[in-house]
Amino acid sequence: MQFFDALLYLMAPLPFVLVFSGVALGIVVGSIPGLTTTMLITLTLPLTFFMDSVNAIMLLVGMYVGGVSGSQISATLLRMPGTPSSIMTTFDGYPLTQQGKAARALGLGITASFVGGMISFVFLALLAPPFAKLAITFGPWEYFTMVLMALVMLSSLSQGSLLKGLIAACLGMLIHMPGIDPSAGTTRLTFGFTPLESGLSLLPVLIGAFAVSQIFKDIIKIDEIPPKAELERGNMFLSLHDIRKFSSNFMRSSIIGTWIGILPGIGSNIASMLSYSAARSASKEPEKFGTGHEPGVVAAETANNAAVGGALIPLITLGIPGSVVDAILIGALIIHNLEPGPLLFINNPEIAYGVIAAYLVGNIVMFGIMMVSVAHIAKVLYVPRAYLLSTIIVFCVVGIFAVGNSFFDVWIMLGLGVLGFCMERIKMPLGPFVIGFVLAPIAEEQLRSGLMSTGGSLEPLFTRPFAASFLAISIASLCWPLVKTLLQHRATRAAN
């Protein structure tokens, strides 16, 4: 019933316009290589300070849905994915464009995105409330091990080496440490520097790590102009025969995408890779994949959009991010004085059900916008980067200063931008770094609560079933890359 209340609220003019605007902006930004959904949402956060919490979260969810879907435009037309989630779309989408079937490729991708999003919405609506009820029974040890599991999985399963992922996560947790000790009430790690006594704010860290570092990266190739691609006029709507033909692909890819989205730290790019691989294995013509084969586009785009719905399940039920964008959404909840986790359904049901409703409406709006105006949106790909980057950096500086009225936050943002740029230059992932910063206070608070309740004993880590299970998954995730390497070495040695 509360879901329908949220849906009814979303149909009012202002919330609907916000979701519509969020989806449209997400599509435009997602379609431009170099500008990511993560950057868009972090830059929008300061603007939501003066908005109602429900409207703000609905706007950000709309951007999330639009960004993942919009990235297929550049992936299909230019072989340049707007975000990593559309890498697999380039394999068959771009060859279709070269064959003069760009409209067909985009029609397939847009419909697949819509179907993946709608099936994932069903899982989100059905699974989120019972997950939240189960999570309410969790104590501090379950929460601590759950956060630990999210950090380890993100570090070990994200792109890059395990060691670099763990170092990035530890670095993120370390920069959270300066400020007031939440238990003792004393200052720590400020080194006598007064501005550090209040700690580092979430917003300068997020914008610095993602937006500013991306600007530095794009400045290096500012003169690059993408080649023009012709989008021929044609019917982009799929026929009933097409729907029947791809129905098993839609269902399989949606389930894979939703499941991968639920797991912390894996994300929509891995979902599309696994889905593409599964579609190829199930196909009677696997040799056609990578040459402009339509099921390849369907599998990739269905899964990466379904992963968004899956990732929202742990976000609103447990307060655990499934991806970097989810971590920023958790940051948005915190900034709006909301408590992410199972209590969200009890204390702020309008937010929890608002997210579900915004995801449903966002997918419908995305389908409408993309089908009607994709040819016009594609023109944005050719806007000179010099205009885009200079505008964005001005917005970053003005926005951060306006929020905190502090030049210290501006310097923190620029410093984190340089740090993020350097980390990516040495192939160190930024995801674990930011999620470490977001989750560190939750882990610290839960660990201290647990230790205080047991008089300093760690025994509940091994005796409480859920805590022990989460700890076991963390250890398995930590060991898996090493086991995998050993198995590969053994197989290579056996082959030689």
Side-chain angles (χ1 to χ4, degrees):
M1 193 63 193
Q2 286 169 314
F3 166 71
F4 291 106
D5 291 339
L7 196 59
L8 198 62
Y9 173 78
L10 205 157
M11 288 298 110
L14 179 61
F16 184 78
V17 167
L18 287 172
V19 172
F20 186 91
S21 308
V23 173
L25 271 172
I27 292 171
V28 171
V29 171
S31 68
I32 302 173
L35 301 187
T36 63
T37 313
T38 311
M39 176 194 275
L40 174 65
I41 293 178
T42 48
L43 288 176
T44 309
L45 270 181
L47 302 178
T48 68
F49 282 6
F50 309 103
M51 294 169 61
D52 177 77
S53 303
V54 181
N55 292 341
I57 298 301
M58 285 181 169
L59 172 68
L60 299 179
V61 171
M63 289 179 172
Y64 194 2
V65 173
V68 173
S69 306
S71 66
Q72 67 176 285
I73 299 175
S74 56
T76 303
L77 298 182
L78 303 176
R79 204 185 175 192
M80 296 169 66
T83 62
S85 63
S86 289
I87 289 173
M88 303 309 291
T89 309
T90 63
F91 287 15
D92 290 286
Y94 186 65
L96 281 170
T97 299
Q98 288 181 309
Q99 295 165 19
K101 300 176 182 173
R104 172 72 176 172
L106 285 172
L108 282 168
I110 295 166
T111 307
S113 300
F114 175 68
V115 174
M118 296 308 286
I119 293 176
S120 183
F121 157 75
V122 174
F123 284 107
L124 173 64
L126 292 178
L127 294 181
F131 261 45
K133 284 182 183 172
L134 173 68
I136 287 173
T137 63
F138 289 179
W141 292 107
E142 282 80 8
Y143 271 108
F144 170 69
T145 49
M146 205 158 51
V147 170
L148 189 68
M149 179 181 72
L151 281 171
V152 171
M153 288 185 77
L154 190 81
S155 303
S156 59
L157 297 176
S158 59
Q159 294 177 348
S161 73
L162 168 65
L163 182 61
K164 287 180 179 177
L166 288 174
I167 291 174
C170 291
L171 198 57
M173 297 177 81
L174 186 64
I175 67 165
H176 151 72
M177 300 301 286
I180 305 291
D181 185 318
S183 298
T186 56
T187 57
R188 65 185 182 190
L189 295 175
T190 61
F191 307 104
F193 190 54
T194 308
L196 271 181
E197 289 181 358
S198 55
L200 299 186
S201 302
L202 184 60
L203 209 55
V205 174
L206 290 179
I207 293 182
F210 284 112
V212 178
S213 67
Q214 184 67 45
I215 291 169
F216 289 156
K217 205 162 73 174
D218 286 349
I219 284 175
I220 296 173
K221 45 188 180 183
I222 198 165
D223 292 328
E224 282 186 12
I225 300 173
K228 290 273 184 184
E230 293 298 327
L231 181 61
E232 83 283 8
R233 292 183 182 277
N235 187 4
M236 294 173 62
F237 288 92
L238 268 62
S239 64
L240 282 176
H241 172 71
D242 289 326
I243 300 294
R244 279 199 297 271
K245 180 180 162 188
F246 296 123
S247 58
S248 59
N249 196 345
F250 282 139
M251 186 55 70
R252 179 181 56 243
S253 304
S254 297
I255 292 172
I256 291 175
T258 305
W259 173 244
I260 294 297
I262 292 173
L263 299 176
I266 301 183
S268 53
N269 50 342
I270 303 296
S272 65
M273 288 179 192
L274 288 178
S275 174
Y276 187 89
S277 176
R280 192 172 184 274
S281 301
S283 173
K284 295 176 182 174
E285 304 168 316
E287 72 282 355
K288 289 188 177 179
F289 279 75
T291 62
H293 199 38
E294 293 182 354
V297 177
V298 171
E301 284 302 318
T302 304
N304 62 22
N305 278 266
V308 175
L312 290 175
I313 295 174
L315 189 152
I316 58 174
T317 59
L318 304 172
I320 299 296
S323 67
V324 176
V325 178
D326 295 312
I328 296 169
L329 289 177
I330 287 178
L333 291 173
I334 295 170
I335 286 171
H336 281 268
N337 294 320
L338 299 166
E339 186 180 352
L343 291 179
L344 196 64
F345 272 89
I346 296 173
N347 298 334
N348 302 96
E350 73 282 4
I351 297 288
Y353 288 102
V355 168
I356 299 173
Y359 182 64
L360 170 65
V361 175
N363 271 290
I364 297 169
V365 170
M366 176 276 297
F367 183 75
I369 293 177
M370 293 273 278
M371 277 297 187
V372 171
S373 57
V374 70
H376 302 291
I377 295 171
K379 293 176 183 173
V380 180
L381 297 174
Y382 310 107
V383 174
R385 292 187 183 199
Y387 297 123
L388 282 175
L389 298 182
S390 56
T391 306
I392 292 170
I393 192 70
V394 169
F395 272 117
C396 289
V397 173
V398 172
I400 286 296
F401 181 77
V403 168
N405 199 25
S406 163
F407 275 114
F408 177 70
D409 285 346
V410 175
W411 287 117
I412 290 294
M413 177 192 72
L414 295 174
L416 264 294
V418 174
L419 179 65
F421 175 76
C422 295
M423 286 174 67
E424 292 205 310
R425 295 292 287 181
I426 60 171
K427 309 291 183 193
M428 187 177 284
L430 278 179
F433 171 76
V434 170
I435 292 184
F437 181 79
V438 172
L439 293 184
I442 302 172
E444 181 181 3
E445 181 189 343
Q446 299 299 334
L447 179 61
R448 289 197 174 194
S449 298
L451 289 172
M452 287 170 71
S453 65
T454 60
S457 171
L458 292 173
E459 188 182 344
L461 278 178
F462 311 100
T463 55
R464 294 178 70 94
F466 280 111
S469 303
F470 294 146
L471 187 63
I473 295 172
S474 305
I475 294 170
S477 300
L478 200 60
C479 295
W480 171 243
L482 300 175
V483 174
K484 191 178 169 186
T485 306
L486 284 175
L487 290 174
Q488 284 174 342
H489 277 304
R490 186 174 294 178
T492 308
R493 199 178 301 163
N496 293 333

